[in-house]
Amino acid sequence: MTPKKKQRIARALSGITYAEWREVSHIVENSYHTTKKELTSEEINSKLNAFPLMGD
């Protein structure tokens, strides 16, 4: 995102109330999904630990 675009977004949001900010934040949170190309070792371990092993 360019600095100019960031400035335009900031100007657009500058006059909103806290309640409006929370609503906008919620909409962005629900519509924005990051796609990761690689998992960290901690994420891999967490996912592996979610599954029981054969002997468990």
Side-chain angles (χ1 to χ4, degrees):
M1 180 183 309
T2 66
K4 187 174 184 176
K5 186 172 183 178
K6 291 176 189 175
Q7 275 298 104
R8 288 196 321 254
I9 292 170
R11 265 195 305 273
L13 295 173
S14 66
I16 66 174
T17 65
Y18 180 73
E20 292 168 329
W21 167 252
R22 295 292 302 148
E23 186 177 350
V24 169
S25 175
H26 182 70
I27 292 168
V28 170
E29 182 83 23
N30 287 330
S31 64
Y32 180 73
H33 301 284
T34 58
T35 303
K36 293 184 74 166
K37 293 182 181 178
E38 295 182 18
L39 295 175
T40 65
S41 60
E42 292 169 352
E43 291 169 322
I44 292 169
N45 287 333
S46 174
K47 292 188 183 303
L48 289 174
N49 290 332
F51 297 102
L53 297 176
M54 294 287 285
D56 289 346

